[in-house]
Amino acid sequence: MKKKVLGVILSVAMAATLLAGCGSAGDSGTDTQTPAAEDSTDNDQSADEASDKSADPADYKVVMVVKQSDSWFDDMATGIEQLKKDTGLNVSVQVPETGDAASQISIMEDLIAQDVDAICVVPNDPNALVPTIEKARDAGIVVVTHEAPGIADCVDLDVEAFVNETFGELFAEKLATAMGGKGKYAGFVGGLTMETHMAWYNAAVAYLEEKYPDMENVSEEPYEDANSVEGAHDKALEVLKAYPDIAGFFDCSAQGGGICEALQENDLGGTVKVVSLALPSMSATYLKDGSMSTGLCWRPADAGYAACYAAYLIASEQGVSDGTDLKATGYESISLDGNIGYGNAPLEFTADNIDDYNF
């Protein structure tokens, strides 16, 4: 359908921030997104347009641009397909050829040219996408992100499964418990430009420094596993060679199985502890054989569902506010903080409960 100019902004308390352009996302309370006020000279015309505005999901084209092709985003795609079945929304998924910002930008440029109603994106490098995001919004396209709270002021909404610092502290506490509160450890991320991975890593390290002084981080910055099992495996072997007395790892990308395999090859499976972001389907074997202590995640399917549904609500001028139900488990009543909508959707699994999950 022909794109109508987006009419959703934050409440008066946030209006000045939006008009000033992109900035760092800060604490802004629980501001509500409402339809923008039109200039007084256009009131009659805008009222007529509003009365004609369709809310039929089938009239809106929403596209999710994921990070890369892997099991995590395969699950996200299942949630988006379910949203399509549930609502009739014209929603689809685009997968970059390579897991980098350039590939995502290329897809977004094509979507801008197609004049879609909304673009959802899980950025590989949030800051690198900002110019393209601004171009999309200038064209009247709604942009909703996931895993990108640092650029929330540049988008219509960023949907998060939880407060990132709290999730990072959960990594730390699980690792400390597994390690008995002492020993050397190493932290992994998919890449240093991945905002949420870095937020979890930094929160975990700060928590361990404060709460567990007998635990020692072996590196001043996280190791990168390039979001691949092979990368995690090879990097873990490097760490083991440099620090043969290492006692634990935590991985903020969903590739901790690679660390477990490296440990098993060195007869250290279960001796050196591993806590990782992980899907149950990717980690069940390692949890059951003891080489992984704890897996942490949120359901990608639910996050994709919630983000794309939020994009539809904004594009159709229904808006998103504090307490809005995004129709996905863990996102039934989001907490709005500026342009960030937080759900309450963390998942934790061990050998004892891993069979309760089927994704």
Side-chain angles (χ1 to χ4, degrees), residues 255-277:
Q255 314 301 334
I259 300 174
C260 295
E261 291 175 5
L263 294 174
Q264 290 171 344
E265 291 169 11
N266 286 271
D267 296 323
L268 293 171
T271 301
V272 176
K273 306 303 181 182
V274 178
V275 173
S276 180
L277 185 72

Side-chain angles (χ1 to χ4, degrees), residues 48-65:
D48 290 339
E49 290 177 351
S51 65
D52 293 336
K53 183 72 175 179
S54 170
D56 184 350
D59 290 341
Y60 294 86
K61 185 173 183 178
V62 179
V63 181
M64 167 63 82
V65 183

Side-chain angles (χ1 to χ4, degrees), residues 312-333:
Y312 154 69
L313 290 178
I314 298 171
S316 62
E317 297 186 2
Q318 297 176 72
V320 173
S321 62
D322 195 53
T324 292
D325 182 1
L326 297 182
K327 308 299 183 183
T329 301
Y331 304 85
E332 297 92 344
S333 179

Side-chain angles (χ1 to χ4, degrees), residues 140-196:
I141 297 172
V142 171
V143 179
V144 173
T145 51
H146 175 56
E147 294 191 60
I151 61 167
D153 285 347
C154 302
V155 301
D156 293 277
L157 186 70
D158 176 69
V159 176
E160 296 297 323
F162 34 65
V163 176
N164 283 320
E165 289 72 19
T166 301
F167 195 58
E169 291 174 356
L170 185 59
F171 272 95
E173 186 58 41
K174 295 304 173 183
L175 183 63
T177 298
M179 292 174 56
K182 60 183 179 181
K184 295 179 180 178
Y185 70 91
F188 285 22
V189 296
L192 298 180
T193 63
M194 293 184 176
E195 181 185 348
T196 51

Side-chain angles (χ1 to χ4, degrees), residues 336-358:
L336 198 66
D337 184 0
N339 276 14
I340 306 174
Y342 291 107
N344 183 23
L347 298 175
E348 174 187 336
F349 36 88
T350 65
D352 293 333
N353 70 353
I354 188 61
D355 289 334
D356 296 338
Y357 298 90
N358 61 359

Side-chain angles (χ1 to χ4, degrees), residues 6-312:
L6 174 64
V8 180
I9 59 172
L10 292 179
S11 63
V12 174
M14 285 298 296
T17 302
L18 273 174
L19 292 173
C22 296
S24 60
D27 293 334
S28 310
T30 52
D31 301 292
T32 303
Q33 293 190 334
T34 58
E38 300 287 345
D39 186 89
S40 59
T41 61
D42 296 325
N43 282 345
D44 292 340
Q45 180 182 357
S46 63
D48 290 339
E49 290 177 351
S51 65
D52 293 336
K53 183 72 175 179
S54 170
D56 184 350
D59 290 341
Y60 294 86
K61 185 173 183 178
V62 179
V63 181
M64 167 63 82
V65 183
V66 298
K67 283 184 179 180
Q68 61 185 37
S69 176
D70 63 17
S71 297
W72 185 274
F73 292 107
D74 288 346
D75 187 66
M76 180 171 282
T78 66
I80 292 169
E81 183 62 28
Q82 187 62 49
L83 173 63
K84 184 175 184 177
K85 292 177 181 177
D86 290 346
T87 66
L89 182 65
N90 183 4
V91 61
S92 59
V93 178
Q94 290 277 342
V95 183
E97 291 184 3
T98 56
D100 55 30
S103 292
Q104 291 184 312
I105 289 169
S106 178
I107 291 174
M108 292 176 68
E109 290 284 358
D110 287 344
L111 295 175
I112 293 169
Q114 294 172 33
D115 195 29
V116 300
D117 295 284
I119 298 172
C120 298
V121 59
V122 189
N124 279 299
D125 184 345
N127 289 322
L129 265 59
V130 167
T132 311
I133 288 169
E134 292 176 337
K135 181 177 179 180
R137 296 187 74 204
D138 287 344
I141 297 172
V142 171
V143 179
V144 173
T145 51
H146 175 56
E147 294 191 60
I151 61 167
D153 285 347
C154 302
V155 301
D156 293 277
L157 186 70
D158 176 69
V159 176
E160 296 297 323
F162 34 65
V163 176
N164 283 320
E165 289 72 19
T166 301
F167 195 58
E169 291 174 356
L170 185 59
F171 272 95
E173 186 58 41
K174 295 304 173 183
L175 183 63
T177 298
M179 292 174 56
K182 60 183 179 181
K184 295 179 180 178
Y185 70 91
F188 285 22
V189 296
L192 298 180
T193 63
M194 293 184 176
E195 181 185 348
T196 51
H197 291 195
M198 292 300 297
W200 305 333
Y201 173 84
N202 289 328
V205 170
Y207 183 91
L208 292 172
E209 288 177 349
E210 178 184 357
K211 302 289 187 180
Y212 295 94
D214 292 332
M215 293 180 65
E216 177 187 350
N217 189 359
V218 300
S219 177
E220 292 185 357
E221 65 179 18
Y223 294 94
E224 296 178 281
D225 65 20
N227 279 318
S228 73
V229 171
E230 295 79 9
H233 169 271
D234 294 346
K235 192 62 64 173
L237 291 179
E238 291 179 20
V239 175
L240 287 171
K241 184 176 180 179
Y243 304 97
D245 57 344
I246 193 109
F249 291 85
F250 74 95
D251 194 344
C252 296
S253 79
Q255 314 301 334
I259 300 174
C260 295
E261 291 175 5
L263 294 174
Q264 290 171 344
E265 291 169 11
N266 286 271
D267 296 323
L268 293 171
T271 301
V272 176
K273 306 303 181 182
V274 178
V275 173
S276 180
L277 185 72
L279 290 181
S281 59
M282 298 168 66
S283 60
T285 298
Y286 305 114
L287 289 164
K288 289 180 178 181
D289 69 22
S291 56
M292 184 181 292
S293 299
T294 305
L296 300 172
C297 77
W298 64 103
R299 181 77 194 264
D302 293 331
Y305 193 116
C308 291
Y309 187 70
Y312 154 69

